[in-house]
Amino acid sequence: MTSNIRLRPLTAPVSPSPTDTNTGAPHHRSFSLKKATRIKLSTAQLLLLFTAMAVLALLLVLLLAFLGHIDGVRAKNILMPAPDAEHKYKSAVASFSLVDFSRKDPWDTAENRKIMLTIFMPIPEKSCSECAVPYMPDQTAKINNEQFLGDRNKGVFEQMQYKACCSASGTIDAAKIPLVLVDGHTDTSRLVYSNLARYVAANNVVVVLIDHPHDSSIVEFEDKSIAYNSGRTSLSNLSPLTSWNATVTKAIDIRIQDIKFALTSLADLSLLTRSFSAVKFSSALSTSSYAIVGHGLGGTVATQLGVADPRVRFSINLSGSAPPITQNTAAPVYFIGRENFLRDNDINWPAAWPHLTGPATEFDLQDSEIMDFTDASVVLELAQREGGMAGLQAKGLGKQGVWANHAVKCFVEGIVKDELKGDGKAVSNCVRIFGDERMVPYAARLKPKIEPTVTPGDKESGAASLRWRRWFA
C-alpha cells in the first residue's frame, strides 16, 4: 500500500517558535523541504516505542491469521443438494424448545424437563421464497466434527447449508398434512437427520426431529444454554445393545415421555404461528395419528411405539434393536439392518419377529456401518468434492459412501409414500435402483428367489408378502 507520508532526514535542529508580540502565542511556522525535526527520546521512551510496535505487529499477524481462517473455513459455505424437481414441496424450518413443567429432568433433577424440536413444514414450491440456512449451529457442528472426523476444529459441519422457505404465500391447513417423527440414535444430534427430513417433507409430510437432552450428543437451546451427553446414558452410538437392562429401559422410557409430551404440545395452533412467523396457518397439526422413524436407540423406540401406541400408522427401525415383544401384533413394522447387524444378530429381534403378523419387512443395507443412516456421508462427500478435503475420512461409515445415504433416503421416503400416499411404486423404484447390491431384502439373503407365499414367523410375515409382490413386480 502507498503512503502519503514523506520521510525527511533529521539534520537541522529547529529553534523555538517566535512569540507573537500582541498575544504571546507562538507563531506557526512551516518547514521547508530541506529542513526537518530531530526528536530526542530517552531510553525508556525508545523501549516503550519499540514495545508498542512489536505488540502492533503481533496483533496484525493474529488478525491476518484469523481472517485467513474465516476465509478458508467459515466463509466457504457449501450448499447441500435439494430434492429433485419431482418433489413439489419445499420446507419451512423452525427449531424451538419445549418445557415440560409436569416432570423433572431425570438426568438433571434440579431442572424441569426441556426438549428441543426442529420441524420441517412442507410448503408448495410456488408459494415458497427460499434462502440459505445453516445446517447446524456452531457448537453442535464442533461436536459433530469431533464425533465423525476426530477434530472439533475441523471446520466441516459449519460449512454446510441448505435452502429453506424463509417466507410463504397462502395459508397452510396443517391438520390435513400427515406427521412423521424422527428419533435419532443415542449420542447423536437430531440435526444429522436434517437431509433425510427434507426429502420426506418434500412429499407434503410434516417431519419433526427431536433431541433428548443428556442422551443426544449436544442440544443447543435458544438462550445459548447447552446440554451435553457427557456419558449420562452409558450407551454407545457405535456398538449394538448387548443386553436389555435398566440402563436401556430408563433411556427408552425417558424418550417415550419426551415424544408424548412433544405430540401433545404440537397440537397447539399458537405454537405453530409463533415458530413459523412468516407462514400462515388455518389449523394446528393433527397428532391423532403419526408415523415414526428411528435410528439406533431411536429405532428401538420407534418399534416399541409402533406396537404399543395405536396412533402410530407404521414404524421404521433403522438398524436398532427390537424391544421385547411377547404378544402378536399386526402393526406395520419395518426394519432396515446393516451389513453386520441383521435381525438374526440382535438380542431381541429373533424372538420378537414371530409375533409380527402384520406387514413386517426387513431390508439390509450392504457394506454399511451404523452412521450410514445419518447425513454424515453426504457431509463427507461435499467436504471432499467442494471443500477441498479430498482425503477426509469419517468414523462409523461403510464402503458404499454416499450411496448408502441415497439408498436409506430412497427406502424411507418410499415406505412413507406407500403407507401415507398409497404410492406402491415408490418402493419398487428403490428396489430397481438399489436392490441388487446396495439394499437387499432379508429373505433374498436366504434364497436367491423371493417367495411370495411365506408364512408368519418364517422369513417375512404373510401380510408383508402381498406388498413384496407389488414391490418386486
Side-chain angles (χ1 to χ4, degrees):
M1 181 173 66
T2 348
S3 172
N4 293 323
I5 299 173
R6 300 180 65 183
L7 299 178
R8 302 179 179 93
L10 299 178
T11 53
V14 180
S15 58
S17 299
T19 307
D20 188 295
T21 54
N22 295 321
T23 63
H27 288 304
H28 294 287
R29 59 181 296 183
S30 59
F31 292 94
S32 71
L33 293 176
K34 296 180 180 179
K35 294 181 179 181
T37 304
R38 174 174 289 170
I39 302 172
K40 292 183 178 180
L41 297 175
S42 68
T43 303
Q45 288 173 322
L46 284 171
L47 182 60
L48 181 62
L49 178 62
F50 289 139
T51 303
M53 292 174 66
V55 170
L56 286 173
L58 178 61
L59 289 175
L60 180 61
V61 170
L62 292 174
L63 178 61
L64 291 173
F66 175 73
L67 291 175
H69 172 73
I70 293 296
D71 182 64
V73 178
R74 295 294 295 153
K76 183 176 176 54
N77 294 317
I78 298 175
L79 198 62
M80 303 180 83
D84 61 29
E86 293 185 3
H87 298 83
K88 301 304 180 185
Y89 291 83
K90 306 289 187 180
S91 293
V93 183
S95 295
F96 52 89
S97 61
L98 295 171
V99 181
D100 186 352
F101 294 100
S102 69
R103 62 187 175 118
K104 294 294 183 182
D105 190 326
W107 306 113
D108 185 2
T109 54
E111 302 291 335
N112 291 316
R113 182 63 171 170
K114 181 163 68 170
I115 60 175
M116 195 76 185
L117 305 181
T118 295
I119 298 182
F120 288 76
M121 178 67 62
I123 305 291
E125 59 181 353
K126 294 182 180 179
S127 303
C128 170
S129 177
E130 286 188 304
C131 63
V133 298
Y135 178 58
M136 56 179 56
D138 285 346
Q139 294 305 312
T140 303
K142 288 183 181 298
I143 291 298
N144 280 277
N145 286 333
E146 184 175 9
Q147 283 192 319
F148 288 103
L149 307 173
D151 180 358
R152 67 186 295 124
N153 297 315
K154 198 70 175 178
V156 171
F157 281 85
E158 295 95 324
Q159 297 182 61
M160 301 300 149
Q161 293 185 338
Y162 58 87
K163 285 191 174 181
C165 301
C166 293
S167 63
S169 59
T171 302
I172 304 298
D173 189 355
K176 293 182 179 178
I177 307 175
L179 174 67
V180 172
L181 191 142
V182 177
D183 199 34
H185 195 14
T186 190
D187 202 16
T188 63
S189 166
R190 75 189 187 283
L191 298 174
V192 295
Y193 305 94
S194 297
N195 203 44
L196 174 65
R198 294 168 66 215
Y199 277 77
V200 175
N203 297 283
N204 197 24
V205 174
V206 175
V207 181
V208 179
L209 307 181
I210 182 169
D211 261 339
H212 308 278
H214 306 298
D215 181 341
S216 302
S217 57
I218 178 175
V219 184
E220 287 188 72
F221 295 103
E222 307 100 310
D223 61 1
K224 305 301 181 184
S225 62
I226 297 177
Y228 293 99
N229 177 291
S230 302
R232 296 286 185 94
T233 64
S234 302
L235 298 172
S236 169
N237 62 8
L238 293 176
S239 304
L241 296 180
T242 56
S243 62
W244 190 263
N245 52 35
T247 299
V248 176
T249 56
K250 177 182 178 179
I252 289 174
D253 289 345
I254 293 169
R255 282 173 170 245
I256 289 176
Q257 290 181 68
D258 289 347
I259 289 170
K260 290 181 176 180
F261 168 63
L263 290 169
T264 300
S265 303
L266 289 172
D268 181 2
L269 177 58
S270 65
L271 176 64
L272 279 187
T273 56
R274 288 195 309 270
S275 304
F276 293 92
S277 58
V279 182
K280 294 181 180 179
F281 295 94
S282 61
S283 62
L285 290 169
S286 173
T287 58
S288 59
S289 68
Y290 67 100
I292 182 166
V293 180
H295 172 219
L297 189 66
T300 308
V301 171
T303 303
Q304 182 156 327
L305 285 171
V307 300
D309 186 348
R311 295 179 295 173
V312 176
R313 299 176 68 170
F314 65 92
S315 64
I316 304 176
N317 183 328
L318 301 176
S319 201
S321 294
I325 299 174
T326 57
Q327 296 182 346
N328 288 358
T329 173
V333 173
Y334 296 87
F335 172 61
I336 299 182
R338 61 184 189 271
E339 179 69 19
N340 297 315
F341 188 73
L342 314 181
R343 67 177 186 245
D344 297 335
N345 307 122
D346 182 48
I347 56 173
N348 289 329
W349 274 122
W353 203 269
H355 294 289
L356 304 178
T357 59
T361 302
E362 175 181 350
F363 288 95
D364 297 312
L365 185 63
Q366 303 301 288
D367 295 322
S368 62
E369 298 291 343
I370 184 65
M371 292 304 174
D372 280 310
F373 298 89
T374 69
D375 299 339
S377 61
V378 176
V379 173
L380 180 66
E381 188 204 36
L382 289 171
Q384 292 171 338
R385 191 180 67 206
E386 299 184 26
M389 301 182 182
L392 191 65
Q393 298 297 320
K395 301 175 186 176
L397 301 180
K399 299 175 183 177
Q400 283 202 49
V402 74
W403 281 100
N405 182 271
H406 295 333
V408 170
K409 286 202 308 282
C410 188
F411 275 83
V412 170
E413 187 181 352
I415 293 168
V416 167
K417 291 169 72 173
D418 190 359
E419 290 281 356
L420 300 181
K421 308 288 183 178
D423 182 1
K425 293 182 179 179
V427 177
S428 298
N429 289 336
C430 298
V431 170
R432 178 176 51 82
I433 298 169
F434 300 103
D436 290 339
E437 298 178 356
R438 303 188 189 279
M439 188 77 83
V440 178
Y442 173 84
R445 300 172 67 98
L446 305 180
K447 287 186 178 182
K449 183 178 179 181
I450 298 172
E451 306 251 354
T453 56
V454 289
T455 57
D458 189 5
K459 303 176 189 66
E460 303 297 332
S461 73
S465 68
L466 300 176
R467 296 181 178 219
W468 282 22
R469 197 172 298 167
R470 182 172 75 247
W471 292 344
F472 293 91

